[in-house]
């Protein structure tokens, strides 16, 4: 640990001068940092902690000593809180063992857990040990609880540190970790984070790429392993009424990412083609059929509480809560202000139940092996949302709203930027063309000069889907530059 302290009596020596001094040391005497884990800067009143690769934004306060009370020593007690809260020998050794990892943000970055992440991991481990105990009460058994950390507060780091702590817990007897997401892109992203942390995890994670692959990786596994899978892979085969037991071991811990989305569904519903219907349970039941004695821990940024969709009822009570207000105070996230601006769909009332059912089916069953049969449903909904009159209304509203806000911000010398996320690439292209029609000067043939840009990656099949809908040579040129494979032009 390297600490740089500035004189609190010196009016010109603030905490960021301490940061600058650390940066100078790194440049002039790099050998000082060869075994460095933490950097601490302080001017006596304020105190921050970061990693070797941290920039100013990544130096954060340590706001608790016991993990419960926030700022226990008051506004000017930051340095003592940090020293007692993280640099106490028994805490520091625990922290260094489980809470330092690497990520790839275009370059290799060393990251260290914040106080909310460290204490969430400690609390989660205690709950898992209780829930995994064979003698635990039925109301506790298997329910590892919920970690509710608001969006943008480093949930992937928390999950990685938690997995490392579970894997090295002697009482768990070399457990198996199963990491569940509900989308292939999230599965890949989180797998990438875990893969870079294999030194911390002491195990190389693996991905279950197909449903048979999942069964092969989990079936009769004696111990160990970190396995990633989307929850849709826990769907019974066509000739199965229930999902088979893959392992009845009690030292399996299931980590569910975004635990509010698809981790429910214990009730059976009637599904299938007319004349071939059968009752089928939801994913929560299939997952528990596969791993009946596992302990389940949910990680979420937005818990849900409604009929059959209660995060706590499925996973257990909250383990640790880090809400938007606390994250804002810490500077971990910025405040979000929401203004509803609806472009209503013109739908027939009698069609609404059918559309709702189709949307539910899309959210529940999306998986690579079933995407083909869902394209027609998705296309129908996309056609309604992306209808030209609606796109025109949305474009006009976006342009007017953005210009008004930008003008207001310019009076404060701030200016402004905006990001538009659409339902599909097709709608994105239509909306781009409509905005450029309203404001031609926003477009430029040079992607780096235009005031409006399309940011997109995709495969040859994505391009094939887009080709019939591109009516502008300029849009075609811009998209060709944005796709990864220039050898397959639009």
């Amino acid at each position: 640990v390297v600490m740089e302290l500035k004189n609190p009596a010196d009016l010109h020596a603030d905490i960021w001068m301490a940061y600058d001094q650390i940066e100078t040391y790194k440049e002039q005497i790099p050998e000082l940092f060869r075994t460095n884990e933490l950097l601490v800067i302080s001017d006596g009143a304020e105190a921050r902690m970061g990693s070797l690769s941290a920039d100013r934004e990544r130096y954060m306060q340590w706001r608790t000593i016991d993990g419960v009370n926030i700022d226990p020593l008051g506004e000017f007690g930051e340095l003592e809180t940090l020293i007692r809260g993280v640099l106490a020998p028994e805490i520091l050794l625990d922290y260094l063992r489980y809470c330092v990892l690497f990520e790839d943000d275009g370059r290799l970055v060393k990251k260290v857990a914040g106080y909310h992440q460290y204490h969430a991991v400690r609390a989660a481990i205690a709950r898992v040990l209780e829930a995994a105990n064979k003698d635990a009460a039925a109301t506790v058994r298997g329910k590892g609880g919920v970690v509710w950390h608001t969006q943008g507060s480093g949930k992937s780091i928390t999950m990685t540190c938690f997995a490392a702590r579970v894997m090295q817990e002697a009482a768990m007897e070399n457990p198996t970790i199963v990491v569940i997401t509900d989308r292939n892109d999230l599965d890949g992203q989180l797998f990438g984070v875990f893969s870079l942390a294999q030194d911390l995890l002491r195990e190389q994670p693996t991905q279950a790429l197909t449903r048979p692959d999942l069964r092969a990786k989990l079936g009769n596994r004696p111990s160990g392993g970190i396995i990633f899978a989307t929850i849709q892979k826990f769907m019974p085969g066509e000739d199965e009424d229930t999902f088979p037991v893959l392992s009845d071991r009690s030292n399996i811990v299931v980590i569910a990412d975004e635990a509010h989305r698809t981790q429910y569904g214990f009730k059976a519903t009637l599904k299938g083609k007319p004349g071939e219907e059968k009752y089928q349970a939801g994913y929560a039941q299939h997952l528990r059929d596969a791993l009946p004695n596992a302990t389940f821990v949910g990680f979420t940024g937005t818990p849900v509480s409604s009929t059959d969709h209660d995060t706590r009822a499925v996973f257990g009570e909250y383990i640790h809560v880090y809400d938007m207000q606390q994250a804002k105070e810490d500077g971990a996230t910025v405040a979000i202000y929401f203004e509803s601006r609806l472009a209503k769909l013109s739908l027939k009332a009698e069609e609404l139940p059918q559309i709702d059912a189709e949307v539910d089916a899309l959210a529940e069953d999306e998986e690579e092996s079933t995407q083909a049969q869902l394209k027609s449903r998705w296309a129908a909904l996309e056609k309604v949302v992306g209808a030209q009159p609606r796109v025109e209304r949305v474009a006009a509203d976006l342009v007017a709203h953005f210009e008004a806000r930008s003008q207001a911000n310019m009076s404060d010398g701030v200016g402004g930027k905006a990001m538009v996320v659409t339902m599909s690439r097709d709608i994105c292209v239509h909306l781009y063309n409509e905005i450029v029609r309203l404001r031609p000067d926003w477009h430029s043939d040079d992607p780096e000069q235009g005031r409006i840009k399309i940011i997109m990656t995709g495969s040859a099949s994505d391009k094939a889907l887009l080709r019939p809908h591109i009516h502008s040579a300029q849009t075609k040129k811009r998209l060709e530059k944005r796709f990864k494979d220039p050898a397959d032009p639009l």
Side-chain angles (χ1 to χ4, degrees):
V1 178
V2 172
M3 299 182 67
E4 179 66 22
L5 307 178
K6 292 300 179 183
N7 184 357
D10 187 343
L11 296 178
H12 303 289
D14 64 5
I15 190 171
W16 299 116
M17 288 189 67
Y19 170 83
D20 292 338
Q21 190 68 58
I22 289 282
E23 292 299 294
T24 300
Y25 292 152
K26 285 162 61 176
E27 185 175 325
Q28 296 181 353
I29 45 175
E31 59 271 15
L32 180 64
F33 301 92
R34 286 177 181 169
T35 58
N36 177 263
E37 298 284 10
L38 296 174
L39 301 173
V40 176
I41 56 176
S42 178
D43 62 358
E46 296 182 80
R48 300 286 189 277
M49 186 176 79
S51 74
L52 187 64
S53 59
D55 57 18
R56 289 191 178 207
E57 292 183 359
R58 301 301 302 179
Y59 273 78
M60 305 296 291
Q61 294 171 281
W62 192 276
R63 299 184 59 195
T64 186
I65 295 174
D66 60 5
V68 177
N69 298 302
I70 302 299
D71 299 328
L73 304 180
E75 183 180 356
F76 299 105
E78 291 185 14
L79 181 57
E80 185 178 353
T81 299
L82 188 153
I83 291 172
R84 293 171 57 185
V86 72
L87 299 184
E90 67 279 7
I91 297 176
L92 180 60
L93 291 175
D94 185 56
Y95 182 91
L96 296 182
R97 186 176 182 183
Y98 301 114
C99 295
V100 180
L101 66 158
F102 292 88
E103 284 191 6
D104 189 352
D105 290 348
R107 62 186 181 92
L108 197 60
V109 175
K110 190 173 190 175
K111 294 192 174 182
V112 294
Y115 72 92
H116 64 290
Q117 295 162 318
Y118 173 71
H119 286 288
V121 169
R122 295 191 76 178
I125 288 297
R127 186 73 65 82
V128 164
L129 291 177
E130 181 183 3
N133 191 318
K134 296 178 181 178
D135 298 325
T139 55
V140 175
R141 183 77 178 88
K143 292 186 176 182
V146 179
V147 175
W148 173 13
H149 283 191
T150 190
Q151 299 285 356
S153 61
K155 181 158 56 69
S156 61
I157 291 179
T158 310
M159 296 171 70
T160 307
C161 295
F162 169 70
R165 185 68 179 81
V166 172
M167 292 296 290
Q168 297 177 51
E169 175 58 54
M172 293 299 293
E173 299 178 343
N174 194 15
T176 298
I177 305 291
V178 181
V179 183
I180 300 294
T181 63
D182 64 356
R183 283 170 29 203
N184 290 311
D185 56 343
L186 290 180
D187 184 62
Q189 291 168 13
L190 195 55
F191 176 74
V193 174
F194 272 61
S195 295
L196 282 169
Q198 59 182 289
D199 288 340
L200 173 65
L201 296 167
R202 301 185 182 182
E203 182 109 22
Q204 174 60 51
T206 62
Q207 277 181 298
L209 301 178
T210 63
R211 292 176 186 177
D213 188 33
L214 170 71
R215 298 190 183 196
K217 282 183 165 62
L218 276 176
N220 298 316
R221 174 180 285 270
S223 64
I226 301 173
I227 299 168
F228 279 72
T230 54
I231 195 169
Q232 290 84 357
K233 291 182 174 66
F234 287 88
M235 176 64 73
E238 293 183 1
D239 58 342
E240 297 174 323
D241 294 325
T242 60
F243 200 92
V245 175
L246 297 183
S247 177
D248 60 1
R249 287 165 40 218
S250 60
N251 65 337
I252 295 176
V253 177
V254 177
I255 300 175
D257 184 26
E258 289 303 343
H260 62 286
R261 267 206 300 252
T262 54
Q263 309 294 340
Y264 311 100
F266 288 102
K267 296 179 180 178
T269 55
L270 196 62
K271 294 184 178 181
K273 298 178 182 178
E276 300 178 10
E277 300 97 335
K278 64 179 180 179
Y279 280 97
Q280 192 174 86
Y283 291 125
Q285 189 60 57
H286 298 321
L287 189 54
R288 283 155 180 80
D289 288 342
L291 307 169
N293 296 317
T295 297
F296 294 79
V297 180
F299 285 78
T300 183
T302 51
V304 171
S305 182
S306 61
T307 304
D308 196 33
H309 283 62
D310 190 324
T311 311
R312 289 176 292 173
V314 174
F315 292 94
E317 293 300 315
Y318 291 131
I319 301 168
H320 196 269
V321 175
Y322 186 68
D323 60 21
M324 178 63 75
Q325 181 60 35
Q326 195 168 335
K328 179 187 170 185
E329 291 174 3
D330 290 346
T333 60
V334 296
I336 295 177
Y337 301 95
F338 175 78
E339 177 185 348
S340 178
R341 304 177 69 82
L342 298 178
K344 294 184 178 180
L345 299 174
S346 299
L347 301 175
K348 296 179 181 179
E350 61 270 19
E351 294 178 355
L352 290 178
Q354 178 64 23
I355 291 175
D356 286 342
E358 291 181 354
V359 171
D360 286 343
L362 285 168
E364 179 178 294
D365 294 329
E366 186 176 5
E367 171 65 15
E368 287 181 349
S369 61
T370 61
Q371 283 179 356
Q373 60 186 318
L374 298 173
K375 282 183 180 178
S376 60
R377 296 178 182 176
W378 179 262
L381 185 60
E382 182 187 8
K383 187 174 181 180
V384 174
V385 173
Q388 186 60 27
R390 185 173 186 271
V391 170
E392 291 174 0
R393 291 199 306 273
V394 170
D397 184 64
L398 281 172
V399 169
H401 183 67
F402 176 73
E403 290 182 331
R405 290 299 301 270
S406 295
Q407 186 63 36
N409 288 338
M410 284 301 295
S411 64
D412 295 329
V414 177
K417 296 181 180 180
M419 179 172 66
V420 180
V421 180
T422 63
M423 177 181 176
S424 69
R425 291 179 169 94
D426 180 45
I427 293 175
C428 176
V429 172
H430 283 297
L431 185 60
Y432 175 86
N433 287 335
E434 184 59 29
I435 291 174
V436 170
R437 188 186 69 79
L438 295 172
R439 294 294 183 270
D441 60 312
W442 288 12
H443 169 79
S444 171
D445 288 341
D446 184 347
E448 303 305 319
Q449 298 298 319
R451 293 179 62 189
I452 180 172
K453 308 178 191 299
I454 294 180
I455 307 298
M456 186 187 305
T457 60
S459 63
S461 60
D462 295 323
K463 298 175 189 179
L465 290 172
L466 280 177
R467 287 188 183 102
H469 307 294
I470 298 174
H471 309 297
S472 162
Q474 291 91 343
T475 300
K476 175 181 176 181
K477 184 175 181 181
R478 294 177 62 80
L479 290 179
E480 285 178 343
K481 292 184 178 182
R482 292 294 173 183
F483 274 106
K484 287 182 176 180
D485 184 6
D488 182 21
L490 286 161

